[in-house]
Amino acid sequence: MARMKFLCDADRCIECNACVTACKNEHEVPWGINRRRVVTINDGLPGERSVSMACMHCTDAPCAAVCPVDCFYTTDDAVVLHSKDTCIGCGYCFYACPFGAPQYPKVGNFGTRGKMDKCTYCAGGPEADMTEAEYVKYGSNRLAEGKLPLCAEMCSTKALLAGDGDIIADIYRERVVTRGYGSGAWGWRSAYGETVNV
Amino acid sequence: MTLTSITSRALAVLCLGLFAAFALPQIAEAQQINPTAESVTEESLMQALSGDAQVQGRVTIPDGLSTGVIKPGNKDWAATLGGPVRIVTILSVVGIVAVLLLFYMVRGKIRIDAGPSTQRILRFNSFERFAHWLMAGSFIVLALTGLNLIFGRSIILPLFGENVFGTLSAWGKLAHNYMGFAFMLGLVLAFVSWVAHNIPNKLDLVWIKQGGGLFSKDVHPPAKKFNAGQKVIFWSVIGGGAALSFTGVMLLFPGLAGGEAGWQLYQVIHGVVAAILTAIVVAHIYIGSVGMEGAFDAMGSGEVDLNWAKEHHSLWVDEVQSSGGKSAGSAKAHPAE
Ligand code: HEM
Ligand code: SF4
Ligand code: SF4
C-alpha cells in the first residue's frame, strides 16, 4: 500500500488559491472552514514564498494522540481520518496539530465548537465509500474512485503534489537538481519526522 | 558590391558590436541570479524558531488563526498531555487508592474510642452543609468527567464500545463545562463559611506531631472546629479549586487565554492540579465516610455524636458548650435525646 503524503513545492506556487477553491467546491465545505489554505511567507519582500497547507496526514499523528474520544484512524494508505459521530468538539486536536488543520464550524467559547472538520485527503470518512452519508459529513471520496486529491490535481503549476510519499519526494528531488534550487519540503520534518534530502 | 551596401554592412556590424557591448554583461548578470539566494527556506525558518513560535505568513482568508504554516511546538503539548500529565494522573489516582487500602488494612475503621454517647451536638448548620454538598457534588461530577477525558479511551471505550463511550463523553463534556460554575459557587460559599476557622495556629503543630491521632488508638490531640489535617484539606481545596476555576474559565474562553501557547499552558496546569486535588479529595472522602465512625453525620444531619466531637474537636466542644450550646453562627444545638 502506498504511504500518501502532500508536498508543496513553494518555488512553483504562485498563490493562485486554485487548490483552496477546488477543495471548497469538491467537498462543499461550509463558510468559515478552511481545509486548505495558502500562506505567503515574507509577503512583498524579495524571495517571498507561498505554501499551500492542509492536513499533512502525519506519521504518529499528534491529533490522534490527544483526542479524548479516540475518533481518529489511519487508513491503509496512511491517510488520517476521523469520525464526526464520535467527535465531541473539544478542540484538543487543533492545539496538537502543527499545521492548524482541524477546523470547527463555530467559535470556541463555552466548548461550543461543533464537530471538527479537516482535510480528508479526498478519502471521505468511516461511512461506506461514496455514499450520501459519507458525502454529507466528509465530502467526496476520490481515493475510492482511484483518483488523487483534487487540490493537487488542479494545481496549475504542479507545485502541490499528492501521492505516494516516495514518488512525490523523487519528483521534487529531480526538480531541485534540475533547476538548482529548492526551498524545502515544507512541513515534512514536523509531519513525517524526515525531510527530502537532495 | 556597392558603396551603400558596404556602408550598411559596416553599420550593421557596428550596431551588433554596440549591442553586444551592452547586452553581454546583462546576460552574464542574469546567469548569476539565483532565485533562492534571497528566498526563505523551510530549513532556515524552522531553525530560527524558538519556544512556541511558528512559521508564519499572510493568508487571504479572514481567519487570523490560519496564518501559521508550521508550529512544531504543538507536538510538544501533545507529548506533554500523553506523557507527564497522564503519568501524574495515573500516579495520583492509583497511588491514593493504594495508600488508603494500606491505611485501612493497618488501622481499620477509626472508632469512637469512648463508644457512642447518647448526646448529639450541632456541627454544621444547613448553610454550611449546602455549601459543602454543592462543592462536593459538582467536584465529583467534574472529577469523573475529567478523568474520562484522560482514561476513557483506554478503559470505557474497549469495555462498552464506541456508541456508549461516545454518548457518555458528549454528555460528560457538557456536564464538565457547566458544572464548573456550580463548583465555583460552592467554593466561594465554603470559603466564606470556614475561612475563619482555618487560620493555622500553634495548636496545629501539636496535632501534626501526634499524627493527628490517626495512627493510634486513644490519642486525641486537642483541636478547635477544624484540626490541622482538615486545614490542609481546606486550603488544598481552596487553592487547588481556585487554580482549577481560573484555568477552567481560560479553557472555556480561548480568546482570553492569550493564544495557543497560553491555552496549552492552562490546559496542562488544569490537568495536573486536577489530578493532585482529586487524590487529596479521595482521601478526604474516605475519612469522612467509611474511614471514621461518626464523621459522616457532620455533613449528613449536621449533628455529631458528643463523644466523637470530644475526641476530635475537644476545644471546639468546650467553646460551643460555654457559649450556651450554640455552634458559631449556627442554630440552637439539640438537647440530648
Ligand atoms: C461523597 C463525598 C464526600 C463526603 C462523604 C464528605 C464528607 C465530609 C465531612 C463529613 C466533612 C466534615 C468533617 C468534620 O466533621 O470535621 C467534610 C468537610 C469538608 N469537605 Fe467533604 N465530603 C465529600 C466530598 C468533598 C469534596 C468533593 C470536596 C471538595 C471539592 C470536599 C471538601 C470539604 C472541605 C473543604 C471540608 C472542610 C474541611 C474538612 O473538614 O476537611 N468534600 N466533608
Ligand atoms: S496535520 Fe494535523 S490534523 Fe493532520 S494528521 Fe497531522 S496533526 Fe493530525
Ligand atoms: S475536537 Fe473532536 S476530533 Fe478533535 S480531539 Fe476533540 S473529540 Fe477528537
Side-chain angles (χ1 to χ4, degrees):
Chain A
M1 271 288 170
R3 197 291 178 224
M4 294 301 189
K5 290 179 182 173
F6 280 122
L7 197 162
C8 182
D9 183 352
D11 300 273
R12 279 185 175 222
C13 179
I14 54 169
E15 203 203 346
C16 69
N17 278 296
C19 50
V20 175
T21 315
C23 175
K24 279 256 174 195
N25 192 55
E26 176 69 7
H27 306 294
E28 292 185 30
V29 180
W31 278 106
I33 291 188
N34 305 294
R35 289 188 176 184
R36 180 170 283 289
R37 66 198 189 277
V38 178
V39 183
T40 304
I41 297 153
N42 281 2
D43 186 36
L45 301 171
E48 70 165 47
R49 286 292 179 275
S50 294
V51 183
S52 174
M53 188 54 82
C55 171
M56 291 288 275
H57 303 277
C58 302
T59 309
D60 296 328
C63 54
V66 298
C67 175
V69 292
D70 203 12
C71 74
F72 289 90
Y73 62 101
T74 307
T75 70
D76 294 340
D77 294 317
V79 173
V80 178
L81 299 178
H82 73 294
S83 161
K84 287 196 181 182
D85 292 339
T86 317
C87 172
I88 55 171
C90 66
Y92 279 21
C93 50
F94 175 79
Y95 289 100
C97 174
F99 307 106
Q103 302 279 305
Y104 306 89
K106 285 172 245 162
V107 191
N109 279 348
F110 250 102
T112 50
R113 291 179 177 86
K115 308 272 183 192
M116 188 274 277
D117 187 272
K118 74 170 187 69
C119 158
T120 64
Y121 207 85
C122 288
E127 273 78 7
D129 283 347
M130 297 187 281
T131 52
E132 177 73 15
E134 184 190 46
Y135 182 77
V136 169
K137 284 181 203 159
Y138 308 97
S140 68
N141 191 338
R142 290 171 53 87
L143 233 57
E145 297 171 33
K147 300 171 184 164
L148 283 170
L150 192 63
C151 49
E153 296 284 271
M154 295 264 290
C155 179
S156 58
T157 61
K158 287 286 164 277
L160 185 59
L161 301 171
D164 180 69
D166 293 336
I167 297 176
I168 59 175
D170 279 343
I171 295 174
Y172 180 69
R173 212 173 278 121
E174 201 183 310
R175 286 182 185 176
V176 174
V177 170
T178 311
R179 70 191 176 203
Y181 56 85
S183 60
W186 294 80
W188 272 48
R189 259 173 268 263
S190 304
Y192 314 127
E194 56 171 23
T195 189
V196 183
N197 293 309
V198 184
Chain B
M1 200 177 270
T2 60
L3 189 71
T4 36
S5 78
I6 288 173
T7 25
S8 64
R9 270 187 183 207
L11 260 173
V13 169
L14 196 71
C15 283
L16 251 176
L18 270 173
F19 174 75
F22 285 113
L24 273 178
Q26 271 176 7
I27 289 166
E29 242 173 52
Q31 276 165 350
Q32 274 163 13
I33 286 179
N34 172 358
T36 45
E38 290 174 290
S39 135
V40 287
T41 64
E42 196 239 12
E43 192 172 8
S44 59
L45 288 179
M46 290 289 281
Q47 276 166 3
L49 286 186
S50 62
D52 59 279
Q54 57 181 341
V55 176
Q56 219 171 347
R58 177 190 59 82
V59 286
T60 45
I61 41 175
D63 177 7
L65 281 180
S66 63
T67 56
V69 207
I70 311 171
K71 190 163 188 195
N74 282 1
K75 281 172 77 179
D76 300 339
W77 174 72
T80 312
L81 201 57
V85 176
R86 201 180 160 77
I87 291 167
V88 168
T89 314
I90 294 175
L91 286 181
S92 305
V93 174
V94 175
I96 197 65
V97 170
V99 165
L100 289 177
L101 261 173
L102 196 73
F103 182 76
Y104 181 75
M105 286 189 309
V106 174
R107 180 70 163 94
K109 185 167 183 162
I110 299 174
R111 298 281 170 189
I112 303 175
D113 286 337
S117 80
T118 49
Q119 274 175 290
R120 302 184 78 74
I121 176 171
L122 181 66
R123 180 148 169 78
F124 294 115
N125 64 29
S126 48
F127 179 79
E128 289 171 298
R129 279 177 282 143
F130 171 75
H132 176 268
W133 289 115
L134 180 62
M135 176 173 69
S138 55
F139 186 92
I140 288 167
V141 173
L142 289 165
L144 291 178
T145 52
L147 287 174
N148 181 48
L149 292 180
I150 293 187
F151 297 131
R153 62 184 270 183
S154 11
I155 298 173
I156 299 180
L157 179 58
L159 281 181
F160 297 97
E162 209 173 313
N163 279 339
V164 172
F165 176 58
T167 315
L168 191 80
S169 303
W171 284 103
K173 189 194 111 169
L174 276 175
H176 201 90
N177 286 350
Y178 289 96
M179 212 55 106
F181 293 92
F183 174 72
M184 285 184 243
L185 180 63
L187 192 69
V188 170
L189 296 184
F191 179 77
V192 174
S193 308
W194 295 332
V195 65
H197 300 286
N198 279 287
I199 312 296
N201 57 31
K202 284 214 187 90
L203 216 56
D204 297 329
L205 293 177
V206 179
W207 191 92
I208 291 167
K209 246 180 234 153
Q210 300 190 17
L214 282 172
F215 302 98
S216 32
K217 271 190 139 194
D218 291 316
V219 178
H220 295 295
K224 294 195 173 186
K225 181 152 178 169
F226 291 116
N227 61 42
Q230 291 177 301
K231 288 179 185 175
V232 170
I233 302 278
F234 176 84
W235 288 111
S236 307
V237 168
I238 295 299
L244 287 175
S245 305
F246 175 73
T247 52
V249 169
M250 290 296 145
L251 298 181
L252 274 184
F253 302 96
L256 302 176
E260 281 168 55
W263 192 94
Q264 289 164 342
L265 180 68
Y266 291 133
Q267 200 278 338
V268 169
I269 297 174
H270 195 81
V272 170
V273 173
I276 296 170
L277 188 58
T278 301
I280 294 173
V281 164
V282 168
H284 162 78
I285 292 176
Y286 168 79
I287 208 74
S289 55
V290 292
M292 179 185 277
E293 182 183 11
F296 184 81
D297 294 339
M299 278 301 163
S301 65
E303 291 176 353
V304 288
D305 186 283
L306 187 61
N307 283 352
W308 178 91
K310 280 180 177 162
E311 286 174 10
H312 297 289
H313 300 277
S314 49
L315 300 175
W316 169 75
V317 174
D318 295 346
E319 271 172 27
V320 173
Q321 286 180 340
S322 64
S323 69
K326 279 189 184 178
S327 160
S330 70
K332 215 178 1 168
H334 290 233
E337 284 158 352

